[in-house]
Amino acid sequence: MKKAILSAIIFAPLFAGCVSTTDTSTSANLDRNAAVAELTTRMDTLGYFHPVEVQPGIDEFLNMSAIILERQRKVMAEYRTQTDNYRDVQAFLYAHQNSTPEQLQAAIVEFDAGAKNKDEEIGHKIAAYNLANEGIYQQNVELATDLTIEIAKSAYILSQHSTAIAKVTALRMGGDVVSSWLSSDEENAEKEENPKDIGTALVKAKDQLALALEANEIIELEQATITAINELQLEQEAKG
């Protein structure tokens, strides 16, 4: 799944400036609970607001971007509830986030050796956490597929309207390029962004997909970690 998403990004260069919370330069310092909370706020601030009618031919893309973000937001909410219910599991995984599956399994064995009963064993709790998250992981896989499709579509659509997108980006940054050809009144009017302006709508759709991708990767990273632990445990049990 990761390869599919990364392939889509290669074909959508306008997403290159988005910083993912699972980027290798930041993953070592990632507190997933904090990242999820911050990302949820960014999603809500950006907003969803569909359906929209901006221009025939791109409306479907705009609406699907909003729908995907809203779906991913709901999955994030479910994920956040489970992490709240299993804070000890999250704390353990975070403490060992740079470990290999083998090192993590060794840490689980060491931790559980000091447990007074099965309920205190972290290995048991990790298995329960994984079971509780199965539905969330499945939804995330389905969203990853939809994201791959929409990001691939965006490569062409965004490239066809690059001038409009550049104008909106420049206005948001207070760029001198735009102000050089707009009078004061015109500039003020332009800064009041019209949601039906094609550039504004496309920038929002691009941002919606970027945020959905960040959320998807956080959950995917968690799933990959849990899966690696479970597979190693099963392998060791088979040998035993």
Side-chain angles (χ1 to χ4, degrees):
M1 180 168 60
K2 178 73 72 176
K3 290 181 179 178
I5 293 177
L6 291 177
S7 296
I9 295 174
I10 291 172
F11 291 108
L14 286 172
F15 279 82
C18 301
V19 178
S20 169
T21 51
T22 55
D23 184 85
T24 53
S25 63
T26 60
S27 60
N29 299 314
L30 176 62
D31 179 335
R32 287 178 202 160
N33 289 334
V36 167
E38 186 269 344
L39 188 50
T40 300
T41 298
R42 287 163 59 199
M43 286 178 170
D44 292 341
T45 299
L46 179 61
Y48 316 97
F49 304 118
H50 58 82
V52 297
E53 294 182 3
V54 176
Q55 179 176 303
I58 67 167
D59 286 346
E60 182 182 356
F61 166 71
L62 296 174
N63 287 310
M64 183 56 69
S65 297
I67 290 169
I68 285 176
L69 182 63
E70 194 163 19
R71 285 170 58 199
Q72 190 74 62
R73 167 68 169 81
K74 290 177 180 177
V75 172
M76 284 276 283
E78 293 179 40
Y79 172 79
R80 198 172 178 183
T81 297
Q82 290 303 335
T83 58
D84 284 342
N85 291 339
Y86 291 89
R87 285 190 176 275
D88 49 352
V89 172
Q90 280 279 301
F92 183 85
L93 295 176
Y94 181 59
H96 298 281
Q97 62 185 314
N98 294 320
S99 301
T100 64
E102 289 77 12
Q103 291 171 332
L104 192 53
Q105 178 60 24
I108 291 171
V109 171
E110 182 180 357
F111 184 96
D112 288 352
K116 297 178 182 178
N117 53 59
K118 191 171 183 64
D119 288 339
E120 290 186 2
E121 292 179 1
I122 198 67
H124 169 71
K125 291 181 179 180
I126 288 174
Y129 176 68
N130 184 44
L131 185 62
N133 276 337
E134 279 187 359
I136 295 172
Y137 294 152
Q138 182 56 42
Q139 291 180 69
N140 207 55
V141 169
E142 293 169 1
L143 276 164
T145 300
D146 292 342
L147 268 167
T148 299
I149 294 170
E150 293 308 308
I151 291 174
K153 285 181 184 177
S154 73
Y156 174 76
I157 295 173
L158 296 176
S159 67
Q160 293 299 300
H161 300 278
S162 57
T163 301
I165 292 171
K167 183 177 179 181
V168 171
T169 302
L171 281 170
R172 290 183 177 184
M173 296 175 63
D176 295 332
V177 175
V178 174
S179 61
S180 66
W181 77 70
L182 292 175
S183 68
S184 179
D185 290 341
E186 289 173 330
E187 184 176 356
N188 289 335
E190 287 287 343
K191 285 184 177 179
E192 294 295 326
E193 291 184 354
N194 179 359
K196 290 197 172 185
D197 171 73
I198 191 168
T200 299
L202 286 171
V203 168
K204 181 173 182 177
K206 178 176 74 73
D207 292 344
Q208 285 172 328
L209 291 178
L211 289 181
L213 181 60
E214 285 192 53
N216 194 272
E217 288 183 335
I218 288 176
I219 298 173
E220 182 183 309
L221 180 63
E222 184 89 337
Q223 181 183 8
T225 301
I226 298 293
T227 299
I229 296 171
N230 290 341
E231 288 178 351
L232 190 59
Q233 286 179 327
L234 289 173
E235 181 182 329
Q236 292 181 342
E237 288 174 5
K239 290 180 180 178

